[in-house]
Structures are given as C-alpha cells and as structure tokens.
Amino acid sequence: MAEVLKVMNVTKNFGGLTAVDNVSFSINEGETLGLMGPNGAGKTTLVNMICGSYAVDSGKIEFRGKDIAKLPPHKRCKLGMSRTYQIARPFLELTTLNSVVVASYCGKDMSNRSLMDAASYASYCLEFVGLFSRRNILAHDLSLYEMRMLELARAIATRPKLLFIDEAMAGLNPAESLHAVKLIMRAKEHFDLTILWIEHVMSIIMEAAERILVLHYGQKIAEGTPEEIVNNKSVIEAYLGGGEYA
Amino acid sequence: MDLEVKRDRLVFRARGNKWEWGIEPRYWRNPLIYVSLLIIFPVVMYFVYPSLLATIIEANLLAAIAIPLALMSVGTGRMNFGPQFYIGVGGYTAALLSIHCGLSPGLTLIVAALVGLAFGFAMSPLSILSGGLYYTLLTLLFPLVFLEITFIYTDIFKGDVGLFGVAPLVSGFGFSVNQLIFTFASLAMMLIYLYIIDKVLRSRYAVEMAAINDDEEVANGIGVNVNKIKMISFAIPAMMIAIIGWFYAHYYGTFAGITFLPLTFMLKILMVIMIGGRIQVYGNVIGGYFIAFLELLLIRTAGDMSPVLFPVILLVLLLTLREGLFGLYRKRHYREYMPTLHVRR
C-alpha cells in the first residue's frame, strides 16, 4: 500500500518546552492509525503541525510524496487533508447547512463550483451523518453529539483523502459514542478515507485502529498493532506508572 | 376605471385591463418602493424646504461610508474604527490634484480611487497581523496620525484652513438646482454601493466571509484562503470610502482634514452603524438618515450641547438596541449576509 503521509523527525518547541520531540511515522492508504498518549503527550500538537496550524521547528512532512511542511492550512486542505477538533468548533452563528457548504465549496477539487452544487454536496454529507433534518438550525443550538457530527460532515465535505479525528468521543455518552464510531467507520468505507484517530477511549481505539502510535512527553514510545501496544511495557508504564501495581 | 382594495392586494381596472399590486407585508420588501421614496423625498424638499437638501446629501454620504464598512467588517472579521482615514486619502488626493494639476473631477475620481485602493492594500495586512483591541486601536490611530501630518506639512495640506479652490462637480445652475443635482449624485453613489455590496454579501464569497467571522483558524483549516479574502475585503471598501472623500472635496469645493479626520466624524459613522445594525447594509441607509436628521435637530435645539448629547445617545442605543433599528425588523432572521439556500429532500 502506498504511503499517504510520512512524518520525519518533526519537533515542536514552545519556549523551553518540547511538545513534540523528533517523531517519525507514516500512514498507508486506507489505514486507520490510532494515536494515543496520556494528557499533554503532544498528540494534538502533532496533528496541528501536520494540518498546518503550527509551524514545524524541524523535520519534514510529506503528503502523497509532496513536502507540505511549509504550506498554509488551506492549501493542505485542498491537497486532501481534513480534521475534526478536540473541543467541538462549529461555526456557531451559521446554520448547519451553511457550515458544511463552506467546506464543500472550499475543499479539494472544488474550485469553480457553483453555490448550489456545493449546497447539494453539503446536504449529502449532512444526510450521511444524520443532520439533514437540522440543516436550518444555527450550530449553537445543536447538542454536543450533533456538533461532533457536524464537524465530521464538515470534514468529509472537503473530500479529504486523509482525515484526522481528534477525540471525537469526548463528552459523548456510551450510546452516542457507539453510534459515532459506527458512523466514522462507515465514512471510511464510503468516502475511501485514511484516518489518523486520536482517542482516549481504549476500547474504541483497539477496535477501530489497525496500528497504534503512542506518544509520551512528546516522544514516540511505541508503535504497533493493538495487541502489541497493550502488552508494551513502556506504554503500561506511561499510563499506569512503574512499580508492582502497574 | 375601478380601484378595489382587497385583503392582500389592490386591483386596478381600466378599459378591460386589470393591474394588481400586492400589499401584503412580504411585498413591502420590494426595493423599488424604497428607492422611489428616496428619489421623491429630495424632489419634494426642493420645492418645500430646499435647505434640507444638504442634510439629505449628508445622510446619503454617511450611509455610503457605512455600507462598504459593513463589507470590511464581515470580510476581515474585525471592526475598523478609522474609516475616515480613507475619506482623508480620497479627499486630499482629489483636492491636491484639482488645485495644483487642474485635473477635472472625472480624472481626480480615478486617481483618488486608485490611491484609496493602494492605501487599502498597503494597510490590509493589519487585519491579518492584529486582532481585537490592537486592531481597534491601530485603525483608530491612523486618521489621527494623518490629521497630525496635515498640520506638520501645512504648506501641502494647509492645516486646519484646508485646501480651497477644488473644481466643483456641478456648477452654473444656481444654488438650489446644484444642491438637487448633488443630492441625486450622492443618492446614486449610495445606491450603487448598496447594490454592489448586497450582491457580494449574497454571493458564495459571503459564505467564506461568514466562516472567517466565526472562526478564522477553522475556516483556514477547511480550505478558506483567509488572508486573501481579508486583504480584498479590506482594500475594496477602502477604495469605496476614498471615493466618498473625493465627493466631499468636489461638493464643498474645499477639503480640510480637521472636518473629517477627528473622532467626532468617526462617532457619526459609528452611530450610523449602531442605529442601522452592525453588518446590516440596508439598515445603514436608515442609520444614515436618522443620524443626519438627528444632528440637524440637535444643532437647532441643543446648540452647544449637541456634541455632548451625541455620544450620550450613542451610549443609550448601545445598551438598548444591540442590533440597531433595522435589527428590530430582522430579529427573527439569521444573518443578512448569507446567501439564501433552500435545499429539499
């Protein structure tokens, strides 16, 4: 399988703090890569660097063979990268439909589209996540689950090849989480996505990911299949600490 | 001939023909009605009370400044507190060229617009580099700095006396007729601005601007070229406001920075926006007329107290009418600057 994303020795410092330290990994096409780590491990910082929100201090990021380390976020999006956010960030003052129309209109291969074409695709994406009936509701009137689904619809409306999901289950109840996971997996098949999934809920990431990458204090401490990760001593130590009870 | 008033329409019959005119509230939104009123009003005033034409011109120009400012606010996601800077740029460019080079108003219009556009583009990175209070302070400072420059370089800008002898836009018809022509010219400018900005704010670009207004970082992440949109929506309205400066110079035949660049003039524009409702382009027309006539009323009734009463009224309006007068009408609607999309299953 071809490599979609290749991250090589990326480092990010915030003053004296090294948030991401010399991390390298790659994602193959059609794969779901889980990204784990305790709070403050640097997971979101790493995704922010890949998506262009943060500049890379050193290292290289290649997307489908093209160096994207210096590209602004909107150009990376047009290449086929999209994301959801850890804390839901919908366009609060826009209607659900209009929020997705922006993404549909500005995403990959969408230049010169008419507004109505963009609206048609946006309504298709809303239908996919089950929000079509809420299309004329302002985003700030949606429930947290609906906001998460709106973010997913907005992300897939840009027609990405690589989707970053940043703790999509945070704040959802078990039934909503289960529904969201099923939906994401269905989106992966339907839209032919490659996914990098940050998640704290172990049961979900163990089931959904084919490979898992673990960060701790900004450094990569483990990479492998879910079975390898749960038995990895460094991972157990990072989550539970050392000693006889670990 | 027969005129019948029905519940929802007027029916006019004559020689076997029938004409109907809807009078339901939804038909009141027809812009032709309001444009007709704006045209008829100065004509009536010309015959009844000609001195009021100057106030109508002022109202049109205030609205014409506030309308591009609405686009600037939407596109940059920030409120510019120094639009009068561009009036100064346009006005001084027109006045200097007219006096020193003898250029006609047509040529000074082109140069003033280009200079306004150049200044707009040069200053547009401000909307990218600064935000919040810093942007407000910076935009507030520019007209004041410009005013200081007009005092420092008195030999060029003639300080608080201003530049005299600017070629008039219209002349040779007598004062009242000239005023009427100026009224219609200002009205035409305002309506053209209203039409252009309304078209932009209902186009697909408005969706991108709305996203920038809500969350710049997220908008950038989903493919919106935030910097490009910000720069364009800063520079084009700057040019449009500079053209108003050109109009002021050729209307008065003189241009002095002390009239337009201080905070008092900015306060008037701000009040137009507050009365009309922030980012309500149609509301700005109501705001322009309200402020121009309120100012006239205050000068006639309150005299020296009017500069004090003006900010007090602004403060009261800020507290009571957060969405302005037009906002009262539009409170049941979502943002005006979005294209209307009707998608059905």
Side-chain angles (χ1 to χ4, degrees):
Chain A
M1 278 190 290
E3 278 179 345
V4 175
L5 182 77
K6 198 171 178 186
V7 175
M8 288 166 278
N9 309 107
V10 293
T11 300
K12 180 71 190 172
N13 298 302
F14 294 109
L17 176 79
T18 304
V20 176
D21 189 5
N22 208 26
V23 172
S24 301
F25 68 95
S26 63
I27 310 176
N28 297 321
E29 195 161 351
E31 191 182 25
T32 301
L33 177 72
L35 182 56
M36 282 171 49
N39 286 331
K43 306 180 293 292
T44 302
T45 307
L46 182 62
V47 170
N48 279 340
M49 280 195 290
I50 298 168
C51 290
S53 301
Y54 293 160
V56 178
D57 286 346
S58 66
K60 213 173 166 187
I61 301 169
E62 279 182 8
F63 179 69
R64 299 171 111 185
K66 187 181 177 184
D67 186 7
I68 58 162
K70 298 248 186 294
L71 288 183
H74 69 273
K75 285 195 177 163
R76 297 187 199 203
C77 174
K78 286 191 195 296
L79 285 175
M81 289 165 74
S82 192
R83 69 175 291 186
T84 67
Y85 292 85
Q86 189 175 359
I87 298 164
R89 288 170 75 175
F91 298 124
L92 293 172
E93 295 294 323
L94 300 194
T95 61
T96 307
L97 178 66
N98 276 326
S99 300
V100 186
V101 164
V102 192
S104 167
Y105 167 57
C106 297
K108 184 173 172 279
D109 304 329
M110 294 296 273
S111 55
N112 300 325
R113 292 241 161 186
S114 75
L115 192 64
M116 283 318 291
D117 283 345
S120 307
Y121 191 64
S123 49
Y124 172 66
C125 294
L126 282 175
E127 179 83 63
F128 186 84
V129 299
L131 284 183
F132 187 72
S133 60
R134 309 276 281 162
R135 62 192 178 279
N136 291 324
I137 305 287
L138 290 182
H140 64 61
D141 291 332
L142 299 175
S143 68
L144 179 64
Y145 170 77
E146 287 172 329
M147 282 187 189
R148 296 259 180 227
M149 289 304 102
L150 174 59
E151 283 212 329
L152 182 63
R154 192 175 64 188
I156 58 180
T158 62
R159 302 188 183 218
K161 292 307 286 179
L162 176 60
L163 177 65
F164 298 92
I165 295 171
D166 196 350
E167 295 188 31
M169 307 306 146
L172 303 187
N173 65 38
E176 287 171 342
S177 296
L178 192 67
H179 196 258
V181 171
K182 279 182 183 169
L183 200 65
I184 292 167
M185 297 319 291
R186 198 152 65 87
K188 186 191 169 189
E189 295 301 317
H190 195 82
F191 295 99
D192 192 21
L193 299 172
T194 303
I195 295 177
L196 191 152
W197 194 333
I198 300 178
E199 193 53 74
H200 273 305
V201 185
M202 298 297 278
S203 58
I204 288 172
I205 203 79
M206 289 296 156
E207 196 179 317
E210 288 142 26
R211 224 159 32 95
I212 293 175
L213 181 79
V214 187
L215 293 183
H216 188 43
Y217 290 122
Q219 292 177 329
K220 185 170 91 173
I221 57 167
E223 188 177 354
T225 61
E227 291 73 31
E228 286 168 357
I229 292 299
V230 288
N231 296 314
N232 189 298
K233 276 181 93 175
S234 308
V235 176
I236 294 168
E237 204 173 308
Y239 271 90
L240 302 173
E244 58 184 303
Y245 300 109
Chain B
M1 285 203 293
D2 170 43
L3 180 68
E4 188 185 353
V5 183
K6 292 197 170 181
R7 185 181 57 82
D8 59 340
R9 60 192 189 276
L10 293 173
V11 183
F12 180 69
R13 294 186 185 85
R15 294 180 183 176
N17 294 318
K18 189 171 98 173
W19 290 274
E20 291 186 346
W21 185 264
I23 52 170
E24 269 189 344
R26 63 196 170 109
Y27 293 112
W28 300 352
R29 292 176 68 184
N30 190 336
L32 278 177
I33 298 170
Y34 302 103
V35 172
S36 309
L37 283 175
L38 289 172
I39 292 169
I40 293 165
F41 183 47
V43 176
V44 173
M45 284 303 130
Y46 174 73
F47 292 108
V48 179
Y49 200 67
S51 63
L52 217 57
L53 290 178
T55 311
I56 299 172
I57 294 170
E58 184 66 16
N60 288 335
L61 294 176
L62 283 176
I65 296 164
I67 290 164
L69 200 59
L71 178 67
M72 199 188 267
S73 302
V74 179
T76 59
R78 290 154 172 75
M79 188 66 202
N80 188 329
F81 274 73
Q84 74 273 33
F85 174 80
Y86 302 99
I87 296 174
V89 169
Y92 272 118
T93 307
L96 287 169
L97 288 172
S98 178
I99 294 165
H100 297 297
C101 307
L103 293 188
S104 66
L107 286 172
T108 55
L109 168 66
I110 295 165
V111 182
L114 289 175
V115 173
L117 187 67
F119 268 90
F121 265 118
M123 296 170 103
S124 60
L126 266 183
S127 62
I128 298 163
L129 300 170
S130 63
L133 187 63
Y134 296 103
Y135 180 79
T136 306
L137 282 174
L138 282 168
T139 51
L140 196 68
L141 275 176
F142 278 116
L144 302 178
V145 171
F146 191 16
L147 183 63
E148 286 303 315
I149 289 170
T150 63
F151 288 131
I152 294 165
Y153 296 99
T154 315
D155 49 331
I156 302 169
F157 299 106
K158 304 292 178 206
D160 52 359
V161 179
L163 294 162
F164 275 93
V166 183
L169 204 58
V170 189
S171 59
F173 293 104
F175 181 74
S176 293
V177 179
N178 279 352
Q179 282 290 89
L180 191 64
I181 294 169
F182 272 121
T183 310
F184 283 120
S186 63
L187 180 63
M189 271 176 73
M190 189 262 279
L191 290 175
I192 290 167
Y193 280 12
L194 190 65
Y195 180 79
I196 295 170
I197 304 289
D198 187 60
K199 282 281 172 203
V200 173
L201 293 181
R202 287 177 196 282
S203 72
R204 58 189 196 178
Y205 300 107
V207 190
E208 294 181 49
M209 289 179 187
I212 292 172
N213 246 282
D214 253 286
D215 195 326
E216 276 175 32
E217 195 189 326
V218 176
N220 205 8
I222 57 167
V224 179
N225 191 343
V226 174
N227 292 354
K228 186 176 118 185
I229 288 188
K230 275 186 174 183
M231 286 179 80
I232 291 171
S233 51
F234 189 100
I236 303 288
M239 181 191 78
M240 294 169 100
I241 297 170
I243 292 172
I244 306 293
W246 162 86
F247 188 90
Y248 271 122
H250 288 285
Y251 167 50
Y252 289 123
T254 170
F255 194 87
I258 193 78
T259 316
F260 301 100
L261 296 172
L263 293 175
T264 44
F265 192 77
M266 186 276 290
L267 198 67
K268 263 200 277 186
I269 300 166
L270 197 66
M271 281 184 77
V272 171
I273 293 163
M274 292 315 302
I275 299 285
R278 188 177 164 267
I279 316 171
Q280 305 276 7
V281 281
Y282 291 104
N284 288 334
V285 182
I286 298 168
Y289 274 80
F290 186 88
I291 291 302
F293 281 89
L294 179 73
E295 193 187 16
L296 182 73
L297 190 75
L298 285 176
I299 289 167
R300 297 246 171 120
T301 54
D304 292 342
M305 284 299 286
S306 62
V308 181
L309 283 173
F310 235 62
V312 171
I313 292 168
L314 173 68
L315 209 66
V316 172
L317 289 168
L318 268 169
L319 292 170
T320 53
L321 288 175
R322 292 180 68 85
E323 290 294 319
L325 282 175
F326 202 63
L328 289 177
Y329 159 70
R330 288 200 67 86
K331 68 181 176 184
R332 287 174 184 278
H333 298 256
Y334 298 138
R335 289 184 173 194
E336 190 184 45
Y337 56 89
M338 290 297 296
T340 312
L341 295 169
H342 295 294
V343 178
R344 295 186 195 282
R345 197 179 290 270

